[in-house]
Amino acid sequence: MVLSLVSLCAKEVVRDHSSSHSWLKWMPKDLYRALLEAAFSTCRPLAVGELVQRWPELTLRVGGRRKPGQTAPNRLCIQSMLLAVVRGLTDHRCSLELLDLCGVQGDEGGMGDPMGGWSLTVALCTMVLKASVRTRRPQRTRREQRKQRDQERKRISALERERDLKRERGQKKRDGELNSNESSNVGERTESSGSVSEEDLSKGVRRRMEMERKRGRTVLGSSERETEEKEMDRDVVVHVRADLFVNGRSWERVHSALRTSGPLKLQCRYLRVEEIAVPSIRTLLDLLPRRGLLGVDIRYSSLGVAGLAELLPLLSTFPALKSLRLHYCNLDFRRVHPSQSEALAELSQGLARLQELRHLSLTALRLPGQLRVLLSSLPQPLEILELPYLSLSPADFAYLSCSHHTSTLQQLDLSENRLDENTLPSIRRLLSQASGSLQHLSLSGCGLTDGLLGLLLPSLGGCRALKSLALALNPLSMAGLMDLVKMAVRMPSLRQLLYPNPLEDYQPGLPDLPSSAQLLDWPLDETSDINLTSNKLNRVLIDSGRSDIFLTCDLLNYDKDMVE
């Protein structure tokens, strides 16, 4: 990556913090962004704090989608930035009103010592609580400055309206003098029928008042919440928008920060909760601002069917919600119980209320034969559908191949749902319907043998938009892998292929049709060359001129999002 002259100079400027007092007061506002990026990239927390405390713009965004090879911001720099935000509340040079930290979190223990999502959430909540205690009195300075700006804006608008009104009055006066005779005649006709018109007018006014009153009662619930949020935002100086990660250890801290009223207010883009009971999840959702929440990710929580049915109506109150992910939430429809049909009906009705949902992920929920009931109620077609470990039945695959979601799917994950001769026609029909839109497909652990894969290859090759394909943990031989790679080089959009280790690479004793769990646990043959398979497959790429395809058998480090 070639650095610009501004970036190179910015790195030199922030390198020496002892001279910051001499250049900060003369620095143009347009260069603050370049200086802050240089301070983050070179890990200069003191420079980060100095810049953020004097931030000259209304909005500061840190994070977002990182480029390949780019690391997350350093933990010390983030902590310094958060402390500077609190100091900036009483600094008249700071104009910050929105701090956007969405996507700034990294992997705990990764390169560069980034701050993970769980640590960042706790740090943000601590910052909000600290600001509410320390800046209750001094924060009036920033609030009064904002109030003065609003008053000045209103005063200018009032002057412009008054000027326009005077102009209109003058024009009407001139028109009235020219048409005085006609106006008097109209006045006489109006006077002769004045009593009837007044009575009709009064009835019309009463009718409109009644209609407005009824309309007001129907939208009272939503308007009350919006009015309440506006009242709470009156004292807010800086809105802090981030992705929140909440578990049992951090729930109390997050709960306190969301309830606190003060100069800083938390806003959530994506909410991820783990090992939290339904009442606690409800409490968090009740405290979050209604606008701005794009996704909810619930993991390892014993929701049960009743708990999920209880949460879905609450999720429907977030108008921008596009993503819902449920991982290992203890939903099991394999056990028949008397109220199963009623529970499914409640889930279907709850999903039908999610008007903007585009991403649905259901992992290990054990819903065989129930896919039609859940997905058919969604009002909009999905773009991302993840159904791993769902024990899908042939009826589920048949519905999915002809549902209203198929033609719009961009990502599809059917991992660990066993495929056979009965379900293969449905999969082929599904791939044919989604061939123009599907970009990422995962069929890992689906029991694909050489024979099944041979029947599926023509349909896979027809997916002209496919960028990544995952087929790990399938019992394929070396001959099957060669056929797979030969098909992959004919797919113009494909950039990444996750292939399984061939059966020849395992130690003797593996069953004839091993499961994905057996393939995962069975040791590889250490006497053979582990690079032999990779070299053969890459030779096919080189001979075909497709060096742009990345081949890997590393399931743990595979990431489809690496494909641009």
Side-chain angles (χ1 to χ4, degrees), residues 179-199:
N179 303 313
S180 57
N181 294 333
E182 184 179 353
S183 299
S184 61
N185 294 334
V186 173
E188 291 176 0
R189 289 196 299 270
T190 305
E191 184 178 356
S192 63
S193 59
S195 60
V196 178
S197 298
E198 276 186 27
E199 184 178 355

Side-chain angles (χ1 to χ4, degrees), residues 415-431:
S415 300
E416 299 297 337
N417 291 284
R418 196 159 189 83
L419 302 179
D420 53 25
E421 291 81 359
N422 297 325
T423 57
L424 207 60
S426 298
I427 295 297
R428 297 185 64 179
R429 190 184 312 116
L430 169 62
L431 295 177

Side-chain angles (χ1 to χ4, degrees), residues 81-143:
M81 176 184 61
L82 299 183
L83 292 174
V85 170
V86 178
R87 294 196 303 268
L89 294 172
T90 56
D91 194 329
H92 69 277
R93 298 167 296 185
C94 184
S95 303
L96 185 63
E97 293 184 4
L98 173 62
L99 176 63
D100 192 339
L101 299 176
C102 296
V104 74
Q105 66 274 1
D107 297 327
E108 296 281 0
M111 293 292 293
D113 190 23
M115 180 174 282
W118 310 103
S119 302
L120 179 61
T121 299
V122 173
L124 287 174
C125 294
T126 303
M127 176 187 68
V128 171
L129 296 173
K130 184 182 298 184
S132 65
V133 175
R134 293 181 56 185
T135 61
R136 283 174 182 169
R137 184 166 51 88
Q139 71 177 337
R140 295 176 184 172
T141 304
R142 291 281 301 278
R143 196 184 307 154

Side-chain angles (χ1 to χ4, degrees), residues 328 334 362-368 386-393 396-397 412-420 423 427 441-448 470-475 498 500 514-521 555:
Y328 300 94
R334 295 177 302 177
L362 308 174
T363 301
L365 300 189
R366 304 294 190 268
L367 301 172
E386 299 170 336
L387 305 172
Y389 296 94
L390 235 64
S391 303
L392 296 178
S393 67
D396 293 325
F397 285 112
L412 177 63
D413 187 353
L414 298 176
S415 300
E416 299 297 337
N417 291 284
R418 196 159 189 83
L419 302 179
D420 53 25
T423 57
I427 295 297
L441 174 64
S442 178
L443 296 176
S444 297
C446 291
L448 288 174
L471 293 173
L473 301 180
N474 283 296
L498 174 66
S515 65
S516 60
Q518 290 172 327
L519 291 174
L520 183 63
D521 295 335
L555 178 60

Side-chain angles (χ1 to χ4, degrees), residues 160-267:
E160 292 177 351
R161 285 197 301 269
E162 184 178 356
R163 183 183 58 193
D164 295 340
L165 186 59
K166 287 181 179 180
R167 187 183 298 112
E168 291 177 2
R169 286 175 180 173
Q171 184 65 33
K172 288 181 179 178
K173 186 176 181 180
R174 288 191 294 271
D175 294 342
E177 292 175 354
L178 294 174
N179 303 313
S180 57
N181 294 333
E182 184 179 353
S183 299
S184 61
N185 294 334
V186 173
E188 291 176 0
R189 289 196 299 270
T190 305
E191 184 178 356
S192 63
S193 59
S195 60
V196 178
S197 298
E198 276 186 27
E199 184 178 355
D200 292 343
L201 182 61
S202 62
K203 289 181 179 179
V205 171
R206 286 196 297 270
R207 188 179 299 111
R208 286 196 299 270
M209 291 175 63
E210 287 294 330
M211 293 174 63
E212 290 292 336
R213 192 178 296 113
K214 291 179 181 179
R215 190 181 298 113
R217 282 197 296 266
T218 59
V219 299
L220 187 60
S222 59
S223 62
E224 278 183 351
R225 179 174 290 276
E226 291 180 1
T227 304
E228 183 181 353
E229 290 183 359
K230 289 180 180 179
E231 288 292 331
M232 294 178 64
D233 289 351
R234 181 179 300 175
D235 296 334
V236 176
V237 177
V238 179
H239 292 270
V240 182
R241 181 165 167 79
D243 302 328
L244 299 183
F245 293 65
V246 189
N247 55 20
R249 295 186 299 274
S250 62
W251 184 88
E252 191 65 40
R253 183 70 60 88
V254 177
H255 178 253
S256 301
L258 291 174
R259 290 183 58 190
T260 299
S261 59
L264 299 181
K265 181 176 181 179
L266 275 179
Q267 295 181 349

